[in-house]
Amino acid sequence: MCEAVGARESLSCQAASGVLEPCEVLDIGSCDKNGGIRRLVLRAPHAAIHALPGQFVHLRIPHFDDHLLRRPFGLYRCNSAAGTIELVYQVLGAGTQQMTSLKVGQKLDIIGPVGRGWSCAPEAKNVLLIAGGMGAVPLYPLAEQLKAQGKQVQVVLGAQNADLLVFQKDFETLLGAENIPICTDDGSAGFHGFTTERAAELLKKSSFDAIATCGPHLMQRGVALLARKAGIPCEVSLEERMACGIGACLSCVVETTAGKKRACVDGPVFKADEVIWND
Amino acid sequence: MTKALDKNSGASAVNLAVNVGGLSMKNPVTVASGTFASGREYAELWQASVGASSEPSKNVNPATELEALGALTTKGVSFEPWTGNATPRIAETPSGMLNAIGLQNKGVEAFCQDDLTWLAKNAPELPLVVNVCGHTVDEFAPVIERLEQETVVDAYEINISCPNLDCGGMALGVDPEVAAAVTRTCRAATKRPLIVKLTPNVTDITEIAKSVEAAGAGALSLINTVAGMAIDAKLRKPLLARGSGGLSGPAIKPVALLAVHRCYQAVSVPLIGMGGIRNATDAIEFMLAGATAVAVGTANFADPLVALRLADEMQLWCESQGVEDINELIGGLLA
Ligand SMILES: Cc1cc2nc3c(=O)[nH]c(=O)nc-3n(C[C@H](O)[C@H](O)[C@H](O)COP(=O)(O)OP(=O)(O)OC[C@H]3O[C@@H](n4cnc5c(N)ncnc54)[C@H](O)[C@@H]3O)c2cc1C
Ligand SMILES: Cc1cc2nc3c(=O)[nH]c(=O)nc-3n(C[C@H](O)[C@H](O)[C@H](O)COP(=O)(O)O)c2cc1C
Ligand code: FES
């Protein structure tokens, strides 16, 4: 991880806990037809400057005081010059529902940037990213970084259906459509089937020397298995329920070969081989 | 004495200092065990957040972050390492949360090496309460015996009340005889202040309170979490891997206030009140019910600076109400 980020390496070498930063909503919007996936742009200069690919923020939702916990969201695009960060979230439960009523200019606060991001074997030259659903969020800044380093990158982008392929445009603009194999569960766009099936095909055709994945737990487990069979180093980004988001409460632990680790500050990115996948 | 007023004039006349069964605290604020680890993560966040904050941080002095607390209370420590429960370990519930962490900790030896070494170096002046847990009556004293070698430790909080372990906390804390037996073995192992932390999951908490007081407890902490459950209807499964857990946060504040109020009438040792405290008013309510000190737990998760600010806010409350000594508030409910 350290080598991959150049100037900011000292930060990434530690279990990185964030800073409490007041921020302001600069822009909001829908990403799909039904408003089920939304973007949120925040003025958060500290997070914008210090964020590393794969890190997240722990957000306190305003006017939500009967709900005590913050909500974790991956960092999508950060603009360090403008001091802004962009989150993309799916509306699922009470918290994300409440977030849909956020207004431009509204104040809130985040703890961020939190966690250990991607290391992605610095010597790798040809990298395969596999994104399922909202798992594309933390993989976007990684793709940006790998591209800037002059590496070959392909991104398998999966979603339930064509309408939910909200990240396709951004990834295609970044890497060219030929490097973004698409798949949907219902076949409404691209390959009809799961990202793991599409990835297995690609692994047969070309030789990758690193894999990174984020998405549903089962998918990540499938990718980890593929990577192990192919003998390719793989990283995963795990979602656990979080309370403190700074490593203090032990809510978010992940079972690893080195014992229990905290997803918030020892992760969320882990080496696939280190994770014990029995559930 | 709080930093904000130190800086301004030192003119405040409010005395915030309290004494909890021999533990002197410069203000009544501590943190609830298990929500704050051993303080390092929050200390680092507090320190780092001062620079990042765009709001004037008049209450935040980066040199003394942790020492803004009257005392620090650590996560539960057992003799051997405990691995805790499977995940999901938490669930959000209305105005509260359930947890079933299962007292995961690395055991007293590693705790001394890592956590106490860090605290001795970084917060040497901070009164330190180590929360001690065990599965059986006999497991507590060995933890204390090891901690007796560490000069940085000031007091013990004995967790006989954790509802998370099949053979541990719950069983010990619900039986007045067993609770007293644990208290006696701990009392025999140390001369330091001994605080016993009670569970609300009993028929009559005053019965347990009287029993542990008679067995040598110098103070009581109330309350630990309230046993509870949350269910995902669609999945037809509990939200916690362990099935049930302990409820904390504002949802339990009325339960906690009553426990403090009743124990204040039943025993004469000082009480540390906790359960849903989020601000100075909450804290003052606990003192009026009978608490000498207060602990902030779940609220740290939403507002990680709350424990840092609380003593200053309590001081302002006292000033606004003409209270000169915060000890006046203890059990100060009007008839
Ligand atoms: C490190 C990390 C990064 C994430 N990044 C993104 C992202 O970029 N975009 C996105 O849409 N979602 C992301 N998630 C998932 C997101 O945090 C949850 O969808 C969100 O917390 C749901 O909140 P809610 O109130 O709508 O749901 P509710 O079900 O009402 O939430 C109840 C509780 O469960 C927790 N919870 C529910 N689902 C999840 C989950 N999948 N993971 C962790 N906790 C959960 C909530 O935080 C809350 O504490 C991320 C999760 C983690 C751990
Ligand atoms: C995540 C979590 C972990 C806890 N761990 C412990 C513990 O190790 N020992 C203990 O005595 N109490 C533990 N507790 C209970 C708290 O110390 C406190 O008694 C309770 O949460 C009520 O206070 P609150 O509502 O302010 O959180 C824990 C509570 C939470 C939420
Ligand atoms: S969320 Fe508290 S330790 Fe990870």
Side-chain angles (χ1 to χ4, degrees):
Chain A
M1 163 157 49
C2 303
E3 292 84 339
V5 297
R8 289 197 226 113
E9 63 188 45
S10 58
L11 247 180
S12 66
C13 289
Q14 308 175 359
S17 26
V19 156
L20 184 74
E21 182 174 22
C23 40
E24 186 188 329
V25 177
L26 292 183
D27 195 14
I28 50 178
S30 263
C31 300
D32 67 326
K33 268 207 315 258
N34 302 322
I37 299 177
R38 294 177 182 240
R39 55 195 286 277
L40 178 64
V41 180
L42 302 174
R43 186 194 316 284
H46 181 271
I49 290 166
H50 294 284
L52 299 170
Q55 290 189 307
F56 68 96
V57 297
H58 208 29
L59 183 146
R60 187 174 187 188
I61 303 169
H63 308 302
F64 201 51
D65 288 350
D66 293 344
H67 296 253
L68 302 180
L69 299 179
R70 290 169 178 266
R71 300 293 192 263
F73 295 99
L75 283 157
Y76 188 56
R77 285 187 289 214
C78 297
N79 184 332
S80 55
T84 61
I85 61 173
E86 181 176 351
L87 313 179
V88 185
Y89 65 95
Q90 185 164 22
V91 181
L92 288 175
T96 44
Q97 188 63 52
Q98 175 73 16
M99 284 167 68
T100 63
S101 62
L102 285 169
K103 300 272 183 304
V104 171
Q106 203 167 346
K107 304 279 197 312
L108 44 79
D109 68 57
I110 57 172
I111 298 173
V114 191
R116 285 177 187 259
W118 309 101
S119 75
C120 240
E123 64 285 357
K125 296 199 172 58
N126 194 4
V127 185
L128 179 62
L129 309 185
I130 302 161
M134 302 309 292
V137 171
L139 288 169
Y140 185 82
L142 175 63
E144 273 186 324
Q145 182 186 62
L146 294 169
K147 189 194 172 198
Q149 291 166 340
K151 299 183 175 181
Q152 273 300 116
V153 189
Q154 286 197 55
V155 186
V156 177
L157 260 189
Q160 279 170 356
N161 57 54
D163 204 37
L164 298 177
L165 275 169
V166 299
F167 300 98
Q168 184 177 357
K169 238 201 225 125
D170 288 347
F171 276 93
E172 288 184 353
T173 308
L174 182 69
L175 298 170
E178 68 283 9
N179 289 313
I180 315 295
I182 298 294
C183 39
T184 50
D185 297 353
D186 68 355
S188 52
F191 175 85
H192 184 178
F194 294 129
T195 49
T196 41
E197 301 171 75
R198 190 78 176 90
E201 280 184 4
L202 288 171
L203 285 169
K204 274 185 222 143
K205 274 192 274 177
S206 6
S207 62
F208 296 94
D209 44 19
I211 296 176
T213 185
C214 185
H217 191 81
L218 270 176
M219 182 202 103
Q220 297 201 62
R221 188 169 75 171
V223 171
L225 200 69
L226 279 178
R228 176 178 300 186
K229 279 198 201 136
I232 302 171
C234 175
E235 286 184 314
V236 298
S237 179
L238 301 179
E239 286 185 2
E240 291 290 340
R241 286 189 212 151
M242 293 178 179
C244 72
I246 67 170
C249 72
L250 306 181
S251 295
C252 63
V253 295
V254 169
E255 201 75 63
T256 76
T257 50
K260 288 195 159 109
K261 291 193 175 180
R262 299 161 297 182
C264 62
V265 292
D266 303 322
V269 174
F270 292 92
K271 291 193 168 38
D273 283 344
E274 171 191 23
V275 176
I276 298 173
W277 296 96
N278 50 4
D279 42 287
Chain B
M1 187 65 60
T2 67
K3 297 175 303 305
L5 289 150
D6 271 349
K7 238 184 280 164
N8 296 343
S9 58
S12 168
V14 183
N15 172 44
L16 289 182
V18 295
N19 190 296
V20 179
L23 179 72
S24 298
M25 296 169 58
K26 67 176 182 238
N27 67 57
V29 177
T30 186
V31 287
S33 175
T35 62
F36 211 77
S38 292
R40 180 174 183 169
E41 292 79 6
Y42 279 94
E44 288 175 357
L45 180 85
W46 288 357
Q47 195 149 27
S49 299
V50 180
S53 169
S54 64
E55 284 166 16
S57 45
K58 57 181 181 334
N59 292 335
V60 183
N61 178 348
T64 52
E65 324 81 25
L66 276 185
E67 287 171 5
L69 296 172
L72 176 74
T73 306
T74 70
K75 170 86 185 152
V77 182
S78 53
F79 192 73
E80 302 286 348
W82 288 359
T83 57
N85 294 321
T87 56
R89 287 178 165 187
I90 56 165
E92 197 181 59
T93 58
S95 291
M97 67 176 280
L98 286 165
N99 88 84
I101 308 294
L103 293 171
Q104 179 187 333
N105 79 95
K106 53 195 167 186
V108 70
E109 191 55 47
F111 173 80
C112 291
Q113 304 290 335
D114 304 344
D115 300 39
L116 293 187
T117 303
W118 186 87
L119 282 165
K121 184 156 169 257
N122 291 282
E125 302 302 320
L126 177 65
L128 179 63
V129 182
V130 177
N131 182 284
V132 176
C133 55
H135 289 308
T136 63
V137 173
D138 298 334
E139 281 182 19
F140 290 82
V143 182
I144 294 183
E145 281 157 16
R146 174 65 187 86
L147 291 165
E148 285 291 286
Q149 299 164 27
E150 305 290 335
T151 53
V152 66
V153 178
D154 295 293
Y156 302 103
E157 180 179 67
I158 308 303
N159 179 11
I160 57 166
S161 49
C162 180
N164 287 343
L165 292 176
D166 295 321
C167 52
M170 179 65 120
L172 296 167
V174 297
D175 180 329
E177 292 309 315
V178 180
V182 175
T183 308
R184 273 192 299 273
T185 75
C186 294
R187 186 67 286 172
T190 183
K191 294 201 161 56
R192 289 172 174 163
L194 186 68
I195 305 156
V196 177
K197 183 165 177 180
L198 305 188
T199 173
N201 304 317
V202 293
T203 309
D204 180 1
I205 197 167
T206 62
E207 197 191 346
I208 314 283
K210 284 187 269 192
S211 180
V212 300
E213 179 185 46
L220 306 179
S221 278
L222 340 151
I223 58 176
N224 211 315
T225 53
V226 177
M229 182 178 198
I231 289 175
D232 183 322
K234 277 194 191 141
L235 296 178
R236 302 193 183 193
K237 280 186 174 168
L239 276 165
L240 298 179
R242 195 174 174 279
S244 65
L247 184 63
S248 63
I252 69 167
K253 195 181 106 180
V255 177
L257 279 172
L258 180 61
V260 170
H261 176 65
R262 294 189 60 220
C263 287
Y264 181 72
Q265 293 169 329
V267 299
S268 57
V269 293
L271 311 176
I272 304 178
M274 67 194 77
I277 295 176
R278 292 199 271 194
N279 54 41
T281 319
D282 291 338
I284 301 291
E285 289 168 19
F286 272 89
M287 295 193 72
L288 290 170
T292 296
V294 293
V296 185
T298 302
N300 293 306
F301 303 150
D303 178 359
L305 301 188
V306 62
L308 178 66
R309 287 190 319 255
L310 190 58
D312 282 354
E313 291 178 3
M314 290 172 77
Q315 168 151 354
L316 291 175
W317 190 94
C318 289
E319 282 168 7
S320 75
Q321 301 296 312
V323 173
E324 288 174 8
D325 183 343
I326 201 151
N327 290 277
E328 288 168 28
L329 296 174
I330 301 168
L333 278 185
L334 299 177

